[in-house]
Amino acid sequence: MAEQDWPVRTLMDRLRPATRQELLGIGALVRYPADRRVIEQGATDNHALLLLDGVVKVQVTDESGETGLLGVRGRGDLVGEMAAMDGRPRSATVVTCGDVVARLITSKELMAFLHRRTDMFVELITMLNERLRWVNDRRRDFLARPAAERVARVLAELVGTHGTEQAGGWVLGIPLTKVELASIAGMKPRTAEKAFSDLRKAGVVVSHVRRDVLIPDLDRLRRFGGM
């Protein structure tokens, strides 16, 4: 795979060319169909998955049984690295959003690689730090912004990273429900419908058809979210 093919700001994009090539040579190639749970919250296995193609969603279930979406990961990202590094039970569930191709890397393989390639270690820590900052940003949004603005900010970031531009605007292209999208913004299911209704009334989200959204003007969506 050509170097420029890796999406910007993913782990693979950040690595040196030699480190990328070596990383692609460890682990085993695996393929998963849509809607497959490839990592299960609470499980004690400890492999990581380097995503080569496709998208997954990361979700967590609380003690009451309610499930919320933490984020979306795509080609070039690493998932499951926390359990691979610390050996503790899985903190979240990872579900495929379509066909996914990945390299399954054991904890032993990953730790040996991190010892050999210090740039991989540095970039992995940087990536984890950015994910933590993203979670903290969502918490601040929860305190400071109304529901529709919070959803707009989440949508703008997801579409900016994973979406594609078409004739009528931008589409996310990932089958996520309104409830899942709203849960990233820290809101309960009953609030999701109203938030999307407000976005439609404002003209920044046209529809949510077949679990996808159409954004006529991405810059306008960002302005609506105060970005």
Side-chain angles (χ1 to χ4, degrees), residues 47-68:
H47 63 273
L49 291 171
L50 175 64
L51 304 178
L52 304 181
D53 193 25
V55 177
V56 301
K57 56 185 178 182
V58 183
Q59 57 190 37
V60 63
T61 303
D62 63 20
E63 294 179 355
S64 68
E66 189 169 299
T67 297

Side-chain angles (χ1 to χ4, degrees), residues 71-89:
V72 175
R73 308 284 181 254
R75 185 165 56 91
D77 285 325
L78 187 69
V79 295
E81 72 286 337
M82 291 179 62
M85 295 173 68
D86 64 20
R88 299 177 63 183

Side-chain angles (χ1 to χ4, degrees), residues 4-225:
Q4 64 269 22
D5 284 343
W6 297 108
V8 176
R9 299 188 66 79
T10 60
L11 177 64
M12 289 295 281
D13 175 63
R14 301 166 186 263
L15 298 177
R16 299 172 183 170
T19 303
R20 271 194 292 263
Q21 288 305 116
E22 186 176 346
L23 182 58
L24 288 170
I26 68 173
L29 187 68
V30 291
R31 300 176 184 274
Y32 301 109
D35 299 318
R36 171 71 65 84
R37 292 191 173 205
V38 294
I39 290 176
E40 190 80 34
Q41 181 177 335
T44 56
D45 55 351
N46 58 8
H47 63 273
L49 291 171
L50 175 64
L51 304 178
L52 304 181
D53 193 25
V55 177
V56 301
K57 56 185 178 182
V58 183
Q59 57 190 37
V60 63
T61 303
D62 63 20
E63 294 179 355
S64 68
E66 189 169 299
T67 297
L69 189 63
L70 297 181
V72 175
R73 308 284 181 254
R75 185 165 56 91
D77 285 325
L78 187 69
V79 295
E81 72 286 337
M82 291 179 62
M85 295 173 68
D86 64 20
R88 299 177 63 183
R90 301 287 189 183
S91 59
T93 295
V94 177
V95 184
T96 59
C97 296
D99 293 339
V100 167
V101 180
R103 293 204 73 84
L104 190 153
I105 302 172
T106 66
S107 174
K108 183 177 179 180
E109 289 171 325
L110 179 62
M111 295 307 293
F113 189 81
L114 291 175
H115 279 90
R116 289 197 307 274
R117 291 288 190 176
T118 56
D119 63 315
M120 167 74 171
F121 179 80
V122 170
E123 295 300 345
L124 183 57
I125 295 300
T126 300
M127 180 190 73
L128 293 173
N129 183 61
E130 289 182 357
R131 289 179 182 176
L132 179 59
R133 285 182 180 274
W134 194 88
V135 171
N136 288 338
D137 287 344
R138 300 290 75 75
R139 289 175 179 170
R140 284 194 293 270
D141 289 347
F142 181 80
L143 296 174
R145 298 181 181 277
E149 287 187 18
R150 284 151 49 198
V151 174
R153 293 167 74 86
V154 167
L155 276 175
E157 291 191 15
L158 288 176
V159 171
T161 301
H162 302 284
T164 56
E165 189 173 14
Q166 300 182 359
W170 287 78
V171 292
L172 178 57
I174 302 172
L176 300 176
T177 66
K178 287 180 285 189
V179 170
E180 287 176 321
L181 288 167
S183 69
I184 302 181
M187 63 187 64
K188 299 294 184 180
R190 60 180 176 271
T191 314
E193 185 60 49
K194 183 180 185 307
F196 273 92
S197 176
D198 290 343
L199 290 174
R200 285 192 295 270
K201 289 176 182 177
V204 293
V205 173
V206 169
S207 61
H208 190 275
V209 180
R210 295 188 182 91
R211 298 173 70 184
D212 204 350
V213 291
L214 173 64
I215 311 298
D217 188 329
L218 186 55
D219 287 336
R220 185 180 176 190
L221 179 69
R222 289 173 174 145
R223 289 195 299 271
F224 182 92

